Structures are given as C-alpha cells and as structure tokens.
Amino acid sequence: MSSMRVYIRPPRPADEQLYSEAVVRSADHLSPWNPVEPDGLPDLLRRQGPALRTFLILDREDEGLVGRVNVANIVRARFRNGSLGYDSYLPYAGTGRMTEGLRLVVDRCFQPGPDGLGLHRLEISVQPENERSLAMAKRLGFRHEGYSPRMLFINDAWRDHERFALTSEEWPGPTA
C-alpha cells in the first residue's frame, strides 16, 4: 500500500478550515448530488459513534483534502453492515485518488477490530444520473442489487437511487 498517493484518517476539529475550503472550492461539483455544507464538519464530528464513522482521504504529497467518506447506518450483531457515502473534492476529482482512498476505507471496514470496523457487508446508493459515482461503485467491485425510487431526500427532493453491495468475501483488498 505504500505506492498509494493517499492515506485515510478520521476527521478532527483542526480540519475545519481544510474541510470548508475543499467544500467551497467543489460546490459546483457536489451540488447536483449532495448538499454543500462547508460549515458541516463540527456537526459531523459530534455525530461520530457506533453508527457513523467518517474518514478523510488526504493526498500524501501536498496534504490536500481529496475526499470524505461516511460509513453510516452501521449495524452490528448478525448483520455487520454499513452504508458508504462519499464526496470527492477539486482539484483531485478525476485523478484516481478518490478510488485509492475508497479502497483503503473499504479495507478498513472489512478488517476486524480494534483497527478495523469488522463489517461483513457494505452498501453504496447512487443517484442514476451520477455517472462518476456509478463507475466508482463498479470499479470497487460492488455488485448492482437494485433500484429504489424516491430513496433519499436530497436538495429539497426525493431522489431515486441505484443500490450496490459488496461482502468481505468478495473484497480483493485495497491494491486490486
């Protein structure tokens, strides 16, 4: 994994300016798919816990913020499942760094504790028009599971989503 151009870590309060600048810089890139919330990091930090874990993807060379990944709706016990949601930030979008970072996050999700989340299954839901995110889910090896009309309320409307999933047995690892 040392050939990776990125690394991941949880967000911290000191990241507030870095996060805000990345979101503002990427507002036009993000706004068709997700709310643009440059001041959202403090709330995100407060919500971290057993059901939500967030990872920042950072560029090794310049320490710039490549993206943010939420592992939400984490359920333990027999299900051991989580839902991935992610935003990529400019100028890194389209450079392959987000794919590298997501591979690291997926790997961390499937690793047993204490360093990993010990999940067995991950889901990704993508709006059908979001071609880049659809390609990302497929590139990571997630299989298409279905279509959910009016699944999530985003940007003042109920949005349809394509649903994808992957289990730990299907995961080839971060460098595949």
Side-chain angles (χ1 to χ4, degrees):
M1 281 195 278
S2 61
S3 65
M4 293 269 186
R5 298 173 291 172
V6 300
Y7 65 96
I8 61 171
R9 66 165 172 78
R12 46 191 180 222
D15 295 321
E16 198 167 341
Q17 182 176 350
L18 177 71
Y19 181 86
S20 180
E21 289 172 357
V23 172
V24 167
R25 183 175 57 246
S26 306
D28 290 342
H29 172 71
L30 299 171
S31 64
W33 320 116
N34 286 315
V36 176
E37 300 171 329
D39 300 325
L41 188 62
D43 180 59
L44 188 60
L45 289 169
R46 278 190 294 279
R47 295 183 333 182
Q48 296 300 296
L52 174 67
R53 293 285 301 276
T54 298
F55 296 92
L56 298 183
I57 301 171
L58 295 138
D59 185 78
R60 285 189 185 279
E61 186 175 316
D62 66 12
E63 295 296 315
L65 185 55
V66 172
R68 174 191 46 84
V69 182
N70 287 330
V71 186
N73 306 317
I74 297 172
V75 179
R76 302 292 178 174
R78 294 181 189 265
F79 196 27
R80 291 183 17 219
N81 186 72
S83 300
L84 293 181
Y86 45 87
D87 285 334
S88 64
Y89 303 124
L90 301 174
Y92 305 98
T95 67
R97 285 171 175 81
M98 191 68 186
T99 301
E100 290 178 20
L102 270 165
R103 287 185 189 285
L104 293 172
V105 171
V106 170
D107 201 54
R108 180 80 52 91
C109 288
F110 288 146
Q111 286 175 4
D115 295 330
L117 299 182
L119 298 178
H120 175 257
R121 185 174 189 276
L122 290 171
E123 301 174 354
I124 296 175
S125 296
V126 180
Q127 293 174 55
E129 300 82 14
N130 189 342
E131 295 175 9
R132 290 182 115 173
S133 282
L134 289 171
M136 175 71 76
K138 294 172 186 174
R139 191 165 41 252
L140 292 170
F142 281 71
R143 83 187 109 65
H144 187 257
E145 286 201 327
Y147 176 80
S148 295
R150 298 169 304 285
M151 181 180 175
L152 290 174
F153 194 75
I154 299 173
N155 295 333
D156 299 321
W158 287 101
R159 307 291 176 177
D160 301 343
H161 281 72
E162 297 287 348
R163 293 178 295 101
F164 297 83
L166 179 74
T167 63
S168 58
E169 294 91 353
E170 297 167 308
W171 180 240
T175 58

